[in-house]
Amino acid sequence: MNAIISASELASDLTGTNPPVLLDIRWQLSVAKATGEPPFDGRAEYAAGHIPSAVYVDLDQELASAPGAHGRHPLPDTARFGAAMRRAGVSADRPVVVYDGGQGWAAARAWWLLRWAGHPDVRVLDGGLPSWEGSLETDEPTPAEGDFTPEPGAVQLLDADGAAALARSGVLFDARAGERYRGEVEPIDRVGGHIPGAVSAPTNENVGADGRFLPVEELAARFNSLGAKEAGVGVYCGSGVSGAHEVLALAVAGIPAGLYVGSWSEWSADPERPVAVGPDPQ
C-alpha cells in the first residue's frame, strides 16, 4: 500500500464507491515570538476553507497527551484517540486520507498514529492542501460515527533507551534542522545537541520546493547514503511530529523505521541523558 496519495488520485477516490475518510490536521509549531503575534489557529484555518467532507482533528488535543516528562507531544491516551477517530468517521474497513497546510508534519503524525494503532489503510495527501486543485467548502460535515478501535503496536515505537541502543546497533536519524542537531541554536528545549550516535537527516531535505516528496529513487539513495541500508532504522525529532514525517519519507522509499515519539523534548529534559554537539554523530 502506498503511504501517500496525489491530489488527482484523491479527487478520483472521493467520487468512488468507498470514498476515504478525510482528516484535516492543520497545525504549526507554536514558538513564542517577541512580536506578540497570535498563535496559529488550525481550526480557524479549517473553518475558512477545507476540502469537501474533511473533518478537523486537533493535533495538540487529540493526537497527543499534555506536555510533560515524556515530551511536548507524548502519545495520546488510547481511548481518547479512538474516540476522536470515531467522531471523525474513521472505521477499520474504510480508507483514510490525512492532509495539513502543506508542511506535511501534522498529517504525518496522524498517519503514523493510525498505523501504530492498527488501521490498515492510511495515506497522506502529498503536498497537503496547496496541492488540491478542487473547490473548498466552509460547512463542517457531521459524519456517521466510525467503528475504529485502536490496537497499539502495529508499527515500531521507540522509547529513550531503545533510541539510544539503535544509535549504536543500527542508524538513528535526527529529523530536526542541522543547526539544532549541532547544538548551535535551541529555541525550545533545555539544551541543544543530539543523541550520541544519531545521524543528521533534516526532514526538509525529503521534499521539493512544492512540498511534495522527492521521487522514490532519490529518497532511497539519500537514506541509504546515510546508513539506512545497513541495519535497523529509527527516527526522532523535537517532539515526535516532524520525525513522523521522516518515517513517512522512509516508508515512501520502502524502508521501515521506528519512531521515538518523546524525541529531543523528552531526552534533553533528563540531565542524566548524554548530549553530543557538533556535526559528528558521537
Side-chain angles (χ1 to χ4, degrees):
M1 184 192 73
N2 291 332
I4 56 176
I5 184 172
S6 69
S8 60
E9 290 171 326
L10 174 60
S12 176
D13 286 0
L14 287 172
T15 63
T17 57
N18 187 31
V21 174
L22 194 55
L23 306 181
D24 184 310
I25 325 285
R26 270 179 277 184
W27 171 89
Q28 287 182 13
L29 180 65
S30 295
V31 179
K33 297 182 179 180
T35 57
E37 63 184 76
F40 178 83
D41 188 338
R43 181 170 288 281
E45 294 289 325
Y46 166 83
H50 53 267
I51 298 175
S53 82
V55 177
Y56 179 72
V57 174
D58 189 302
L59 186 150
D60 290 317
Q61 299 298 319
E62 297 174 310
L63 303 184
S65 295
H70 293 295
R72 282 191 305 280
H73 292 103
L75 286 175
D77 173 78
T78 302
R80 183 171 183 178
F81 173 64
M85 293 299 97
R86 290 189 294 273
R87 171 193 63 80
V90 174
S91 291
D93 62 351
R94 188 174 170 191
V96 178
V97 173
V98 293
Y99 73 90
D100 58 24
Q103 187 179 42
W105 294 5
R109 170 76 176 213
W111 167 84
W112 184 87
L113 276 170
L114 280 163
R115 291 180 67 245
W116 171 76
H119 198 287
D121 190 352
V122 190
R123 288 174 290 174
V124 171
L125 176 59
D126 194 18
L129 186 61
S131 71
W132 178 254
E133 296 181 352
S135 62
L136 300 178
E137 68 177 18
T138 56
D139 292 339
E140 184 169 350
T142 54
E145 182 88 358
D147 65 11
F148 178 66
T149 300
E151 296 182 4
V155 297
Q156 186 181 18
L157 169 67
L158 298 171
D159 60 12
D161 290 340
L166 194 54
R168 297 189 298 269
S169 65
V171 60
L172 180 66
F173 289 138
D174 184 317
R176 299 172 300 159
E179 58 268 25
R180 290 186 69 191
Y181 169 87
R182 295 187 296 270
E184 296 166 357
V185 299
E186 182 44 65
I188 308 171
D189 294 311
R190 184 183 67 85
V191 63
H194 58 269
I195 297 173
V199 175
S200 180
T203 292
N204 62 4
E205 295 181 17
N206 297 324
V207 298
D210 59 0
R212 294 180 174 88
F213 282 105
L214 299 176
V216 171
E217 296 78 10
E218 291 184 33
L219 286 173
R222 178 186 187 223
F223 291 126
N224 287 338
S225 72
L226 294 171
K229 64 181 178 181
E230 299 172 4
V233 180
V235 179
Y236 76 96
C237 57
S239 63
V241 179
S242 68
H245 190 269
E246 185 112 301
V247 173
L248 173 60
L250 283 155
V252 172
I255 302 170
L259 178 64
Y260 172 26
V261 172
S263 285
W264 190 246
S265 59
E266 178 184 48
W267 183 280
S268 64
D270 182 353
E272 299 299 317
R273 295 280 179 187
V275 171
V277 294
D280 189 282
Q282 302 299 332

